[in-house]
């Protein structure tokens, strides 16, 4: 059992025997006593996504998962191939597990992989990552609309909107939870 | 943080200041440290201590608390001087998540208008939003979803529209448990054990908040009186479809949402000493029993509030507003040195 307040991204809950992976969690504290965890969770059997609100004080059933540290190596056309940094075993992660996170993978970087019943069910992406701008269009000088942005592509293929002053070859910090530009990284 | 964002943040702060100063509001800056606070069971606080010089005994240590809001001081100034005022200050709330829209240290904008009620505060807040958008984006390229007029909807109508039933016709916990079960929030048997307040809050968080429109700011107004707070109370009678006449007690309170984010909370301030005393007693009792960081309650707060002229106060999460003005969806993007990067 796990307390509602301890549920985090990557937790696996068992709802009437069906495993659900928490993909988003937000705590809300609307009024006097009760606080809630508002969670978005993915059914690990059929991939459907469900939102639920759980009291932080309530206990809910969870499943035991393992986390393994692994280095991302390559995409073999079908799976994403990682290497366990302790046992050097290969760990395969399928396309649907990664879905919109695949552009946060960089060859050689280490990630936590969540394993449930011997299957990789989630790859934990650090909240902040630094990327190099690989492709960027130059903007016309004089376009100084406050807060204006343009899309750029990083070395990993990630598309992110950045302020107009960002140039190709510069390094940027990205918040991977919101896929938003954070700041320019100097040096 | 990029220099451009630091400059944008500075412009937001300056624009808010000029808005209130132009309207004759007094700018205050009250302490962050306090030996006692207003007991509020919905939040946890930070504790620290003052050490008296050369006194290494227990008496030499004075517990102090970081204010979760400057309300306790602002109300004393208004009671003493009867002026409208505003303050931009750092506030501190413990034991909350650090994340996309939460930071334990945050910037609060509080503004109190004397001889005004909560609807006047809402009008003022609309003016503030227009002023900010006009000043910060003179060529009109402003972020979506912030431009007034705000959508104003009573809590009762919000439940009718987004949950399919009015709160006012469902006064019993069993009524709400049934509706919550129909909406798939749990099985009726489990929910039946919950209190009315908990069920109301579950429905608010799960069903109402996510359904609120996002193309314009939304003010949820007239909160159920069953949820205690320091806002003035009203009573009306509603007729249930089955013929019963039910009392529906509300409070003169609104909360403002923009882009799905809760931004501000406002009351017509309660000035009835007896009700305030009872509220303080209940909250304080709960606080001492359940809080992770219990603290002494501010003495004679009922007497301070009883001396207030009729007034309305709003508390607005300024970092969240700056985030929306910057077109961002995470506080990390607009906070210099966000705590998420450091803990």
């Amino acid at each position: 059992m796990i307390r509602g307040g301890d549920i985090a991204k990557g937790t696996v809950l068992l709802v009437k025997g069906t495993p659900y992976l928490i993909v988003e969690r937000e705590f809300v504290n609307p009024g006097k006593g009760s606080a809630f965890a508002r969670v978005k969770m993915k059914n690990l059997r059929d991939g459907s996504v469900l939102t639920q609100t759980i009291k932080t004080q309530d206990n809910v059933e969870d499943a035991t998962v393992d986390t393994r540290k692994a280095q991302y190596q390559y995409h073999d056309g079908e799976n994403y191939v990682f290497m366990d940094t302790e046992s050097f075993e290969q760990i395969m992660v399928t396309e649907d597990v990664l879905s919109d996170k695949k552009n946060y993978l960089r060859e050689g970087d280490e990630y936590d992989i969540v394993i449930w019943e011997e299957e990789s069910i989630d790859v934990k992406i650090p909240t902040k990552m630094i990327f190099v701008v690989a492709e960027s269009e130059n903007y016309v000088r004089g376009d100084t609309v406050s807060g204006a942005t343009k899309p750029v592509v990083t070395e990993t293929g990630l598309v992110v909107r950045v302020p107009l002053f960002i140039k190709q070859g510069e390094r940027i910090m990205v918040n991977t939870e919101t896929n938003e530009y954070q700041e320019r990284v100097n040096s | 943080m990029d220099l451009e964002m630091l400059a944008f943040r500075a412009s937001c702060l300056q624009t808010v200041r000029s808005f209130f100063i132009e309207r004759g509001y007094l700018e205050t800056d009250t302490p962050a440290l306090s030996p006692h606070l207003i007991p509020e069971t919905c939040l946890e606080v930070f504790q620290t201590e003052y050490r008296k010089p050369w006194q290494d005994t227990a008496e030499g240590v004075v517990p102090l608390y970081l204010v979760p809001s400057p309300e306790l001081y602002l109300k004393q100034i208004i009671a003493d001087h009867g002026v409208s005022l505003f303050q931009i200050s750092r506030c501190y709330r413990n034991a909350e998540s650090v994340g996309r829209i939460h930071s334990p240290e945050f910037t609060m904008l509080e503004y109190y208008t004397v001889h005004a009620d909560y609807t006047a505060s809402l009008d003022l807040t609309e003016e503030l939003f227009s002023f900010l958008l006009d000043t910060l984006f003179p060529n009109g390229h402003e972020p979506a979803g912030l431009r007034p007029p705000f959508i104003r909807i009573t809590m009762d109508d919000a439940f009718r529209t987004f949950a399919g039933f009015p709160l006012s016709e469902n006064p019993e916990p069993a009524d709400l448990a049934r509706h919550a079960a129909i909406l798939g929030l749990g099985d009726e048997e489990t929910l039946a054990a919950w209190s009315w307040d908990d069920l109301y809050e579950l429905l608010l968080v799960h069903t109402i908040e996510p359904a609120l429109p996002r193309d314009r700011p939304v003010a949820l107004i007239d909160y159920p009186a069953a949820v205690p707070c320091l806002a003035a109370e009203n009573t009306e009678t509603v007729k249930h479809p089955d013929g019963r006449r039910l009392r529906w007690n509300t409070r003169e309170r609104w909360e403002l949402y923009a882009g799905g984010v809760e931004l501000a909370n406002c009351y017509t301030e309660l000035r009835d000493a007896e009700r305030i005393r009872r509220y303080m007693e209940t909250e304080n009792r709960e606080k001492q029993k359940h809080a992770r960081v219990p603290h002494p309650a501010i003495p004679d707060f009922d007497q301070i509030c009883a001396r207030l002229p009729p007034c309305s106060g709003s508390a607005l999460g300024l970092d969240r507003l700056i985030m929306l003005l910057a077109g961002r969806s995470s506080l990390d993007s607009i906070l210099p040195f966000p705590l998420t990067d450091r803990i």
Side-chain angles (χ1 to χ4, degrees), chain A residues 16 25-36 38 51-55 58 127-128 144-147 163 165-166 173 175 177-178 180-185, chain B residues 1-2 4 8 41-42 96-97 100-102 136-137 139 141 194 197-198 201-202 204-206 209-210 227-228 253 255 283 327-330 332-333 338 340-341:
Chain A
K16 295 186 179 129
R25 184 226 52 203
E26 190 162 53
F27 286 122
V28 266
N29 201 355
K32 46 166 216 155
S34 36
F36 300 97
R38 190 157 54 194
T51 35
Q52 255 217 322
T53 305
I54 301 161
K55 255 193 200 170
D58 280 359
T127 317
K128 304 283 171 68
T144 52
V145 175
S146 168
F165 56 76
I166 295 294
M173 188 185 281
N175 182 329
E177 282 178 355
T178 56
E180 257 177 21
Y181 165 85
Q182 196 82 40
E183 61 187 18
R184 177 167 45 188
V185 181
Chain B
M1 170 175 279
D2 294 338
E4 290 77 0
F8 181 76
T41 48
C42 60
E96 286 187 11
S97 48
R100 194 175 70 77
I101 52 170
H102 287 99
L136 297 167
F137 307 98
N139 50 20
H141 295 273
W194 288 33
D197 305 22
D198 280 357
E201 280 171 356
L202 173 72
L204 176 62
V205 162
H206 191 89
E209 284 185 354
V227 180
R253 170 184 181 186
E255 285 215 9
E283 290 286 299
R328 301 298 185 88
S329 58
S330 166
D332 280 15
S333 300
T340 40
D341 295 354

